Amino acid sequence: MVKYQEAELNDIFAALADPTRRALLARLETEENLSVSELARPFHVSLPAVMKHLDVLSDARLIARQKTGRTVNVRLNAEPMEHAMEWLARYQRFWSHKLDQLAAFLEEEDTIPERGKDEITD
């Protein structure tokens, strides 16, 4: 089970690492269920390049494709992103706690008075 989850997260984060794939997902967020050609239209890359990006997104289960006749429609699939968000939230809690500890330590250091220059030491 853990190996599956790790592989799923690897696929998701690898898919999200590319700016073109993130832009494709953003477009699907605002315009649901687009055909591949409609989805590819605003991008300055070839249709085969867009298809390769869609394959990566599909392998990560971030999109779903449905063929109707000769048209392939693409829609967003949110479930895998929820798994990634859960993983990120765990580390956000960890780092928030560590940064809160650091802030408390630094505030404590600021309240400790420095030795005055006029102090006499033996």
Side-chain angles (χ1 to χ4, degrees):
M1 182 71 169
V2 173
K3 286 287 185 192
Y4 169 75
Q5 290 172 342
E6 186 175 312
E8 179 186 42
L9 285 173
N10 290 345
D11 290 346
I12 292 167
F13 289 121
L16 295 174
D18 184 85
T20 301
R21 290 193 286 269
R22 289 192 306 270
L24 288 166
L25 291 174
R27 181 132 191 260
L28 286 170
E29 180 184 11
T30 59
E31 301 178 53
E32 295 180 23
N33 210 26
L34 292 173
S35 71
V36 171
S37 58
E38 290 172 326
L39 183 58
R41 190 169 292 127
F43 295 94
H44 299 290
V45 294
S46 67
L47 188 57
V50 170
M51 293 297 292
K52 287 181 181 182
H53 284 299
L54 293 177
D55 288 343
V56 173
L57 292 170
S58 182
D59 290 346
R61 298 184 328 115
L62 293 171
I63 62 166
R65 293 187 263 199
Q66 180 179 356
K67 188 171 183 175
T68 306
R70 293 179 11 160
T71 305
V72 177
N73 289 324
V74 183
R75 66 177 170 75
L76 210 52
N77 181 22
E79 183 185 342
M81 192 65 79
E82 291 171 6
H83 297 159
M85 292 301 294
E86 290 169 7
W87 185 87
L88 289 169
R90 186 173 62 228
Y91 287 94
Q92 179 187 18
R93 287 188 301 273
F94 170 81
W95 283 111
S96 292
H97 176 71
K98 292 296 183 189
L99 291 172
D100 289 344
Q101 287 179 325
L102 177 61
F105 173 76
L106 293 174
E107 287 175 11
E108 186 178 300
E109 286 290 309
D110 285 345
T111 61
I112 298 173
E114 291 186 30
R115 286 189 114 162
K117 291 181 181 178
D118 296 336
E119 283 186 24
I120 301 175
T121 57
D122 292 326

